[in-house]
Amino acid sequence: MNPTETLRQAFQLFEQEHYAAAEQILFDLLESEPANVQALHLLGSVAMAQTHFEEATIVLQRALRLLPESAQEALPIRYKLGRAFYELGRVEDAFLLYRALIEAGHRMPELFVAASAALQAMSPSGKNDTQAIALLDDALQLQADVPDTWHRKAMLHERVKDWESARASLQQALRLNDQRAVYWHDAGAAEHALGDFETALKFYDQALILDPDYVDAHVSRGTSLARLRQYDDAIDSYQRALKLKQDDPEAKLNLALSLLVLGRFQEALPLYEWRWEGRSADPYRHEAIPAWNGATPLRGKRILLWAEQGYGDIIQFIRYAQLIADAGAQVVLEVPANQLPLLASLPSSSPLEMIAIGEPVPAVDCQLPMMSLPLVCNTQYREIPAAIPYLYADDVRKQAWMARIDALAPRTSGRVRVGIVCSGNPGNTNDYRRSIPLQQFAPLAQARADIDFFAVQPDLREADAAWLRTQAGWHWLGQGIGNFNETAAVLSCMDLLITVDTAAAHLAGALGLPVWIALPFAPDWRWFLNRHDSPWYPTAKLFRQQQAGQWRDVMLAIKAALAISDFSGR
């Protein structure tokens, strides 16, 4: 059999996925013709089909050494070599190879797509995403009718939170191919991020028509239902996902959140432990230290309780440290450095040792993240430990702030001081749902003539600062608030705090101060549903959106409450 016939036979076996037979024929051919480039090329393809990428790189590089760099036959070999590099995690090598081909004038759309994927992989943080999108734009200029390229571009836009552009790219992908469930699912994710939950549901439903076993679509459908406060239907979607994939962490965590907001603690808290397993899960620190299981006696033991999630979560769940100390344990608290002075005020039956995150951890017998404490302490919805205050402002700092506030707005008989916190951390994924432009608080000044308003936040957003400068009777107290001890002192100078759902709400509640909290239509689970008080914070009053994204009615309700409130006891 001549070499041409041998190659044809090997190629037929390759197409029929008889890889071992194809390899043997090619090995035999290369033994007699070691410089046969076509045989080496095909052998590299056979290796890649079997995911033997290391072998593929060796064979393909051997083929390239036999060819002039400008040879047309070298182009597909270099392209495959780049793919092999990429699959081996050698993404820098892959990108450099693709870039060299592009710079040499090869205008193949797949080269730009491959270069984009390699560039993206070089920076998991996303710093290369803008350049990666530009490469996909080059590919689409060459060939605009490839739905997968539009989809890739949409995923990059999603990574940089450019949801409008993601939506537009996904519409193009669906126009070209509306039979791929993943396109419908990801289009739903874009609509969800943009706040159009009804449309998101329609897209998820279409994905499930095409693929009824699509686990992520069931989970995503549940998240949009939860945003619409259709929690029973959301729970059903998560349970459907778990029937298909019983240990799916996203389904279990989101199921937990829907059960928690309904107050179904017994079902929810064990599932909430899956928060460490999801795609965007925080790292579980101190895993080398045995975790306390809630059953082993703690008397005489030393336990590390460590902070997780946001500042407000720490303030909320630090209350459990008292219970652990009462059980006879020596408690070490690991918290952010800017909360140390405040949390040192936590009373306890035995001294609490505190360290900042990042400092050396002393010898302990066991550990537990703080938000696992409700589970191990067997917390019930109607038996939440809520003795307040459990945190205290520093008297010296309070007096210093009182003098500063008096200079801004002298304290005359009958005047009321109201603190305002209108926004939280802009990096929070739900910030757009909870933060409110400061200007929307303006109607509160019409409630009564005896109020001085104080914006109590160190980082006032530019638009809020500009509005504040034009308002009489409104003052900014951001300068000088460097830690939570200072914030506690400022809040203690107020007669009332009105705030969005951020750490200040938890701090005021823990200090036992009057606090009114403006909540979005679908609130964080800890505020539950259909109640205007909080079992976590007896001094809190909740004002809830009746329509998603609509704060006007909330402000009118707060205005009415201000008009009739009696502050004489403060």
Side-chain angles (χ1 to χ4, degrees):
M1 187 182 300
N2 62 47
T4 302
E5 287 299 321
T6 301
L7 282 169
R8 185 180 295 114
Q9 182 181 6
F11 184 74
Q12 287 176 344
L13 290 167
F14 167 64
E15 285 193 316
Q16 295 165 4
E17 300 184 6
H18 298 319
Y19 300 128
E23 279 182 334
Q24 189 56 58
I25 289 174
L26 291 168
F27 285 144
D28 292 342
L29 176 58
L30 286 165
E31 189 171 345
S32 60
E33 294 190 18
N36 190 314
V37 173
Q38 289 179 299
L40 290 167
H41 185 181
L42 183 53
L43 185 59
S45 299
V46 173
M48 290 189 67
Q50 298 174 89
T51 68
H52 298 163
F53 300 114
E54 193 70 57
E55 292 90 332
T57 61
I58 294 170
V59 173
L60 294 172
Q61 286 174 315
R62 181 178 160 190
L64 288 172
R65 285 194 292 270
L66 297 168
L67 289 169
E69 189 171 336
S70 60
Q72 189 63 30
E73 190 179 355
L75 177 59
I77 299 175
R78 286 199 180 95
Y79 177 71
K80 286 179 183 171
L81 179 59
R83 284 182 50 211
F85 283 152
Y86 181 89
E87 295 293 345
L88 287 169
R90 294 171 57 181
V91 291
E92 295 88 353
D93 291 333
F95 175 72
L96 291 173
L97 191 154
Y98 294 136
R99 188 179 67 179
L101 290 172
I102 291 169
E103 290 177 346
H106 297 291
R107 306 291 294 172
M108 298 162 53
E110 56 266 37
L111 279 178
F112 289 94
V113 172
S116 173
L119 187 61
Q120 178 186 352
M122 285 166 60
S123 177
S125 67
K127 73 175 184 179
N128 291 339
D129 285 358
T130 301
Q131 299 96 309
I133 289 170
L135 286 165
L136 291 178
D137 284 334
D138 288 337
L140 289 165
Q141 285 182 0
L142 294 167
Q143 189 175 12
D145 60 351
V146 181
D148 190 58
T149 306
W150 286 107
H151 180 248
R152 286 174 177 271
K153 186 181 176 188
M155 295 302 95
L156 283 169
H157 283 307
E158 286 193 6
R159 281 224 318 183
V160 299
K161 310 302 181 188
D162 183 356
W163 298 104
E164 289 284 1
S165 296
R167 170 195 271 168
S169 291
L170 284 160
Q171 287 173 346
Q172 291 290 343
L174 286 167
R175 180 181 62 82
L176 293 164
N177 182 356
D178 63 0
Q179 295 302 303
R180 288 203 65 192
V182 67
Y183 294 172
W184 287 103
H185 171 268
D186 294 341
E191 298 299 332
H192 179 99
L194 288 165
D196 189 347
F197 307 120
E198 295 281 4
T199 299
L201 283 176
K202 293 176 183 177
F203 288 173
Y204 295 141
D205 286 343
Q206 185 61 40
L208 289 167
I209 288 171
L210 294 168
D211 183 359
D213 295 339
Y214 195 165
V215 171
D216 285 352
H218 285 291
V219 175
S220 297
R221 183 175 184 273
T223 61
S224 288
L225 287 165
R227 286 283 185 262
L228 293 167
R229 285 205 319 214
Q230 298 176 27
Y231 291 105
D232 290 335
D233 290 336
I235 288 168
D236 179 69
S237 282
Y238 301 138
Q239 289 173 337
R240 287 174 183 270
L242 290 169
K243 285 180 181 178
L244 296 165
K245 187 179 178 183
Q246 63 180 0
D247 286 335
D248 184 76
E250 307 296 336
K252 291 208 171 194
L253 176 58
N254 282 287
L255 175 58
L257 294 173
S258 283
L259 292 169
L260 282 168
V261 79
L262 297 175
R264 293 162 61 175
F265 278 24
Q266 291 295 96
E267 301 166 77
L269 289 174
L271 290 168
Y272 192 56
E273 293 302 297
W274 283 81
R275 67 190 181 277
W276 303 107
E277 307 300 330
R279 284 187 288 270
S280 57
D282 293 328
Y284 188 98
R285 306 197 307 276
H286 310 302
E287 59 185 353
I289 304 171
W292 183 51
N293 60 14
T296 307
L298 283 174
R299 185 161 300 279
K301 301 289 186 181
R302 202 174 192 204
I303 184 171
L304 172 69
L305 303 179
W306 50 275
E308 54 166 310
Q309 300 189 32
Y311 292 127
D313 302 291
I314 297 165
I315 292 169
Q316 180 179 7
F317 291 98
I318 199 77
R319 70 185 70 202
Y320 284 91
Q322 299 170 307
L323 302 182
I324 301 303
D326 290 345
Q330 294 177 284
V331 176
V332 179
L333 292 171
E334 184 195 48
V335 297
N338 65 353
Q339 286 192 312
L340 278 172
L342 168 70
L343 300 181
S345 71
L346 182 73
S348 173
S349 57
S350 62
L352 303 173
E353 181 178 353
M354 298 204 180
I355 60 172
I357 294 174
E359 291 182 351
V361 176
V364 294
D365 298 295
C366 53
Q367 57 81 21
L368 204 67
M370 285 185 191
M371 296 186 72
S372 291
L373 286 166
L375 172 64
V376 298
C377 293
N378 196 27
T379 301
Q380 308 293 316
Y381 174 62
R382 300 189 184 281
E383 298 175 7
I384 290 172
I388 63 148
Y390 60 85
L391 294 177
Y392 298 85
D394 178 83
D395 284 335
V396 174
R397 300 311 310 145
K398 180 178 176 181
Q399 292 305 315
W401 276 103
M402 190 69 79
R404 180 176 170 182
I405 293 167
D406 286 342
L408 287 171
R411 181 71 131 174
T412 57
S413 178
R415 290 201 69 78
V416 178
R417 290 174 171 171
V418 175
I420 301 289
V421 175
C422 66
S423 59
N425 176 9
N428 186 296
T429 55
N430 285 318
D431 185 66
Y432 76 98
R433 295 175 50 246
R434 64 170 183 176
S435 291
I436 307 172
L438 185 57
Q439 187 172 357
Q440 292 193 31
F441 288 81
L444 304 188
Q446 302 165 10
R448 51 203 293 169
D450 59 354
I451 298 181
D452 292 305
F453 291 95
F454 299 87
V456 186
Q457 40 195 128
D459 299 314
L460 201 59
R461 300 181 186 185
E462 186 176 340
D464 296 332
W467 179 83
L468 190 61
R469 287 192 291 269
T470 68
Q471 301 303 304
W474 289 72
H475 311 277
W476 179 47
L477 297 179
Q479 289 182 322
I481 299 180
N483 60 38
F484 279 85
N485 205 30
E486 298 289 346
T487 307
V490 174
L491 296 184
S492 296
C493 297
M494 299 293 117
D495 297 302
L496 170 68
L497 174 67
I498 300 173
T499 178
V500 298
D501 180 11
T502 188
H506 295 278
L507 178 53
L511 293 167
L513 303 174
V515 54
W516 295 358
I517 307 170
L519 295 175
F521 179 72
D524 188 87
W525 68 263
R526 69 207 70 208
W527 306 117
F528 307 115
L529 296 175
N530 304 320
R531 58 185 302 167
H532 298 291
D533 64 342
S534 169
W536 300 100
Y537 304 113
T539 61
K541 186 173 182 180
L542 310 180
F543 294 81
R544 300 174 180 273
Q545 278 186 348
Q546 298 307 304
Q547 180 180 343
Q550 175 56 259
W551 291 110
R552 182 177 178 276
D553 291 345
V554 172
M555 290 302 160
L556 289 176
I558 293 175
K559 175 183 171 183
L562 270 177
I564 62 174
S565 292
D566 180 8
F567 295 98
S568 59
R570 285 288 295 164

